Amino acid sequence: MMFYPLASSTWDETEYTALQEVITSGRFTMGSRVRAYEDAFAARFGKKYAVMTSSGSTANLLALASAFWHPDLGWRQGDEIIVPAVSWSTTYFPITQTGLKLRFVDIDPATLNIDLNKLADAITPHTRGVFAVNLLGNPVQADRLRTLCAKTGILLFEDNCESMGARYNSEMAGSFGLFGTFSSFFSHHICTMEGGMVITDDRKLHDTMISMRAHGWVRDLPEDTHLPLDEDPFLRQFRFVLPGYNLRPLEMEGAVGLPQLAKLPGFIAERRKNAAIFQRDFGQLDFLDIQQETGESSWFGFAMILKGRLAGRRGSLVEALREAEIECRPIVTGNFLNNPVISKLDHSIGSEIVAAERVDRDGLFVGNHHYPIEPQITRLREVVQSVADRF
């Protein structure tokens, strides 16, 4: 194991016991444990509904595809969704897979979230919403963003896959708009092996997601759903009303989700303690910038954007970190517009892209953990300083 890895296990015997209970039960497909986890998750984040999926990526797919088929929204293929220029690939792919069009806006160089000063000018008559991304644990300025969306008549939704447990003005990140998505992959704040979640207060969106998650059928929906139900219960079990997928999670994932969710507040508290040390040691250096916290970040990791004598020298730093057994990686995907796949995605650019280019060229991040890592941060500081001193 590396001295300072990007991620580490959050499990103990509680999770293994939960898995064994599923094995003993013989029920492995989605069932009562998934439903219990969904209920607990909705309650934790203050929403009426939560729908678990097979991953954070499929949570994005499910939410966006279900919004497309929402009977009250009236989205059409070719409508635009505004996105930040820095995020994970599956923030973007479900938008174009649904027939919508990406519209890219630069990020704020301080927070690394979408630049709200550039967002308003990017809105066109075809814009239907903004898919805000809470990057590396840092929540967007929800009050300002909601005001902008209300003023311009577009919707707000969140990719919160990297920021479970973050808060802004006492509200939980992921709960700011029509829906919010979460990931519980190994490297994230809690782990259900694979797994994702969508939360919402919108009943029609919820019912659409239940159908879309499982083939587009209406099984398990209540009588008062807005979706059409066949009067014959025999036919109803296999009646398809939407062009759905199979995005269902496993019962094991729901089972381990329950104890992991209970541990989340403790995990976030430790991550924030580590972040305070990182901010103290790295916040005033003249050769790099760190991500500026908005609200209460859940600190997925610690971003560094090189400047001054380290600008353009990321390769030297990466090599030194590797030798010191400190794992690092680019800041998510960097400027996503520089990825070759962009030629295959219907998109437009709604602002000048400057900050995302700098992140692409000079950005990297190291991990944070749910346990104290002051020795690792101290060693990180020593290695970074040693590289800066060469130039």
Side-chain angles (χ1 to χ4, degrees), residues 33-333:
R33 290 170 176 84
V34 168
R35 287 192 292 275
Y37 177 48
E38 290 173 332
D39 291 344
F41 203 97
R44 169 76 68 181
F45 290 91
K47 288 294 184 180
K48 294 179 181 178
Y49 310 108
V51 179
M52 191 181 187
T53 65
S54 55
S55 70
S57 297
T58 58
N60 284 348
L61 175 61
L62 178 65
L64 285 159
S66 298
F68 183 86
W69 292 110
H70 192 296
D72 299 336
L73 299 186
W75 289 3
R76 297 288 184 268
Q77 291 187 347
D79 287 345
E80 296 172 344
I81 304 297
I82 291 177
V83 293
V86 177
S87 186
W88 191 244
S89 61
T90 49
T91 300
Y92 310 117
F93 294 161
I95 293 171
T96 58
Q97 288 162 347
T98 308
L100 300 167
K101 183 175 181 177
L102 295 159
R103 186 156 173 80
F104 287 89
V105 170
D106 201 10
I107 58 168
D108 183 306
T111 68
L112 305 185
N113 290 328
I114 194 165
D115 190 332
L116 299 186
N117 293 321
K118 296 180 178 178
L119 178 56
D121 290 339
I123 296 171
T124 79
H126 302 289
T127 304
R128 298 293 171 259
V130 54
F131 199 8
V133 178
N134 303 314
L135 203 77
L136 297 180
N138 203 29
V140 295
Q141 292 178 275
D143 49 0
R144 186 178 170 193
L145 188 49
R146 276 193 293 227
T147 297
L148 190 155
C149 288
K151 182 178 179 180
T152 57
I154 65 173
L155 292 172
L156 168 63
F157 21 94
E158 295 169 84
D159 182 332
N160 197 52
C161 289
E162 293 179 349
S163 301
M164 188 183 293
R167 293 176 180 270
Y168 185 80
N169 288 348
S170 78
E171 290 184 87
M172 300 294 289
S175 68
F176 302 149
L178 174 65
F179 65 77
T181 62
F182 298 77
S183 172
S184 47
F185 180 62
F186 171 76
S187 61
H188 291 192
H189 293 82
I190 66 172
C191 172
T192 60
M193 299 181 283
E194 296 279 357
M197 192 75 77
V198 188
I199 59 173
T200 187
D201 281 333
D202 190 290
R203 169 66 189 282
K204 289 180 181 178
L205 181 65
H206 168 264
D207 287 6
T208 303
M209 288 193 291
I210 293 297
S211 175
M212 293 287 288
R213 177 176 66 177
H215 315 293
W217 62 23
V218 292
R219 190 184 300 186
D220 298 327
L221 286 173
E223 293 289 337
D224 64 345
T225 182
H226 72 283
L227 293 169
L229 300 179
D230 199 289
E231 292 184 1
D232 184 340
F234 176 74
L235 294 176
R236 183 184 297 184
Q237 292 297 300
F238 297 95
R239 189 67 82 189
F240 300 91
V241 299
L242 290 168
Y245 310 94
N246 180 0
L247 309 178
R248 294 175 297 192
L250 299 174
E251 188 74 341
M252 283 183 173
E253 293 166 334
V256 297
L258 285 164
Q260 282 280 286
L261 189 64
K263 296 175 182 178
L264 178 63
F267 292 164
I268 300 303
E270 289 300 322
R271 283 175 172 269
R272 288 187 56 78
K273 289 178 185 177
N274 293 333
I277 297 168
F278 177 78
Q279 289 172 307
R280 179 197 70 195
D281 291 353
F282 286 81
Q284 303 300 322
L285 301 179
D286 64 0
F287 47 77
L288 60 79
D289 291 323
I290 66 172
Q291 186 180 31
Q292 298 302 300
E293 184 177 21
T294 306
E296 296 179 20
S297 174
S298 56
W299 291 102
F300 181 91
F302 302 135
M304 297 177 283
I305 303 96
L306 309 183
K307 67 179 182 180
R309 56 188 142 149
L310 280 185
R313 303 184 189 278
R314 184 173 59 182
S316 296
L317 179 56
V318 168
E319 180 59 30
L321 294 174
R322 184 182 299 114
E323 291 176 359
E325 296 190 330
I326 299 173
E327 197 169 7
C328 65
R329 55 163 291 179
I331 294 177
V332 197
T333 62

Side-chain angles (χ1 to χ4, degrees), residues 334-345:
N335 177 9
F336 194 77
L337 291 162
N338 291 337
N339 285 267
V341 72
I342 197 67
S343 65
K344 298 176 173 61
L345 307 178

